[in-house]
Amino acid sequence: MNVIDLSPKPRIRENIEVMPIGDGKFLLRDVAGYTDKTIILNEISVIILSMLDGKRTENDIKQALQTMYNISIPENEIKNFIKILDENGFLDSPNFRTIKESKKLEFKSQKVRKSILSGKSFPPGGKEAEKFFESILELFPSQDKSENIFGVISPHIEITNGMKIYGKVWNFIKNSIKEQEVFFVVLGTSHAASPHPFILTDKDFETPFGILKNCKDIVLKLKETLGNSTFEDEFLHKNEHSVENQAVFIKFLFPQAQIIPILCSYSESNENTFNDLVSKMKDVLFSELRGKKFVLIAGADFAHIGTRFGDGPCTPYDISLVRLKDIVSLSKFASNSAKGFLDSVMSDGNSRRVCGYSPIFALLKISEGLKTEGGIIGWDIWIDETASAVSFGAAYLSLT
């Protein structure tokens, strides 16, 4: 007689990140932000975590540790570790689903998306905030501009780590746009995974300079055209910095501007849906914004290499290679080539881990078929104390 095993088979949920922090320790955190708890793990804990696939019982994990790694751990210790994970919202479980629905409802009830970076990445307001952003623009001045600016790549890295490119790109935008009533379509990188290629929100954005108004009429028109699923993961806007780091510059430079915030998530598995939705998005934007000044911003970084990302320490050669590949990608953007850009990232399986390819690709699909000219504004890289690096750049497209 076959016996059905009803023992729990715990599964780690999606959007959980394990990051090396040195000395054999790892940081466990929720990329999506449903829980703000973090847990410091050792190497054995990470091995156990990798076995939480929904197919193994706690006893199976105990046996696998003994067989594969010659590690003997009492089953009750494994059970306690799994309990801690569940209590903190890291498992795909009824407890997490309760947490998730509660967080989604709480965020949905708010009219304003609260700043998560104010007081951390930049001053919370007043003269101090004005001086901070003025200093960035003054430290990295540019007289460059372009008439009929249509689309721009801007970084989303921590502003203090990317000041050079933020200064150059936002000086460029400031010089190129004389109107104050501008509509900024901000295509942000969704760092949290989602099955939905585009994620909308109709919330205004809090900034150190006051509330940046959401163009709700167009956002709701996009929802009507692209489908209700565009709001299914709206919560992901709550902790996503890729839009916020554009919103603060927009409000500082263009106080009367409005924002249309869209998180992007492209993968080969949703390619057809992505292309279909971006075509509909283009139709809505061009129809609803006809006769108005609007600019598309892709909030995107490029390579992620080094210790924190599972590599060895990055070397000068690694940085040179990344720079070469990034410049090729920026050039493809400046030449308005959606396919060329995507190939430049994916031809080697995205070995440099370009996190911002989704919003850049979306922008290029929107500009596809338009007569444009473009150029590269700049490139830079930030290297931390662990010999890990994140690269970022800026480029533009203008209508001709």
Side-chain angles (χ1 to χ4, degrees), residues 46 53 84 91 133 135 182 186 226 228 248 254 276 312 328:
V46 173
D53 56 6
I84 291 171
L91 294 186
F133 285 93
S135 296
V182 189
V186 180
L226 276 59
N228 291 335
V248 289
F254 304 94
D276 177 57
V328 169

Side-chain angles (χ1 to χ4, degrees), residues 147-187:
E147 293 185 7
N148 300 318
I149 184 173
F150 178 77
V152 176
I153 299 174
S154 174
H156 62 236
I157 193 170
E158 172 85 21
I159 289 178
T160 52
N161 295 333
M163 281 188 181
K164 177 181 175 181
I165 301 303
Y166 278 113
K168 284 181 175 294
V169 70
W170 285 99
N171 268 313
F172 181 88
I173 294 170
K174 179 187 69 171
N175 296 340
S176 301
I177 301 175
K178 298 307 176 186
E179 299 89 343
Q180 277 297 311
E181 294 186 9
V182 189
F183 296 83
F184 285 92
V185 182
V186 180
L187 303 165

Side-chain angles (χ1 to χ4, degrees), residues 40-243:
I40 304 297
L41 305 176
N42 59 26
E43 292 174 343
I44 296 176
S45 299
V46 173
I47 294 172
I48 296 173
L49 206 69
S50 71
M51 295 181 179
L52 301 179
D53 56 6
K55 299 176 182 179
R56 294 180 171 96
T57 64
E58 292 156 358
N59 186 58
D60 292 336
I61 294 170
K62 177 188 175 189
Q63 296 301 324
L65 288 170
Q66 182 68 59
T67 303
M68 298 169 64
Y69 300 98
N70 196 28
I71 297 172
S72 180
I73 298 180
E75 190 174 336
N76 69 307
E77 288 190 19
I78 296 174
K79 188 186 295 289
N80 287 338
F81 175 58
I82 291 172
K83 181 183 178 184
I84 291 171
L85 292 174
D86 191 25
E87 289 174 346
N88 286 279
F90 290 108
L91 294 186
D92 182 2
S93 68
N95 180 55
F96 168 66
R97 286 186 279 278
T98 299
I99 293 171
K100 182 178 181 179
E101 287 309 308
S102 174
K103 293 285 188 178
K104 287 175 71 171
L105 287 172
E106 180 184 0
F107 185 64
K108 186 177 181 180
S109 69
Q110 298 169 2
K111 293 183 179 180
V112 175
R113 186 266 187 194
K114 297 291 185 182
S115 171
I116 61 165
L117 301 176
S118 182
K120 299 175 183 177
S121 297
F122 43 77
K127 293 294 183 182
E128 191 180 357
E130 290 179 11
K131 185 176 180 180
F132 177 85
F133 285 93
E134 283 172 357
S135 296
I136 294 173
L137 298 175
E138 289 171 0
L139 281 169
F140 303 101
S142 173
Q143 300 303 316
D144 292 341
K145 62 181 179 179
S146 180
E147 293 185 7
N148 300 318
I149 184 173
F150 178 77
V152 176
I153 299 174
S154 174
H156 62 236
I157 193 170
E158 172 85 21
I159 289 178
T160 52
N161 295 333
M163 281 188 181
K164 177 181 175 181
I165 301 303
Y166 278 113
K168 284 181 175 294
V169 70
W170 285 99
N171 268 313
F172 181 88
I173 294 170
K174 179 187 69 171
N175 296 340
S176 301
I177 301 175
K178 298 307 176 186
E179 299 89 343
Q180 277 297 311
E181 294 186 9
V182 189
F183 296 83
F184 285 92
V185 182
V186 180
L187 303 165
T189 301
S190 180
H191 286 88
S194 171
H196 309 293
F198 299 106
I199 305 164
L200 301 173
T201 183
D202 58 1
K203 300 186 188 309
D204 299 330
F205 274 62
E206 180 185 48
T207 81
F209 311 106
I211 300 300
L212 176 60
K213 289 294 185 181
N214 184 306
C215 186
K216 295 180 176 63
D217 290 346
I218 293 180
V219 168
L220 294 178
K221 183 68 175 179
L222 286 168
K223 177 185 177 183
E224 177 185 315
T225 305
L226 276 59
N228 291 335
S229 63
T230 52
F231 269 76
E232 181 62 32
D233 279 340
E234 183 191 13
F235 177 84
L236 298 184
H237 277 274
K238 180 178 184 292
N239 288 331
E240 182 53 69
H241 60 278
S242 63
V243 174

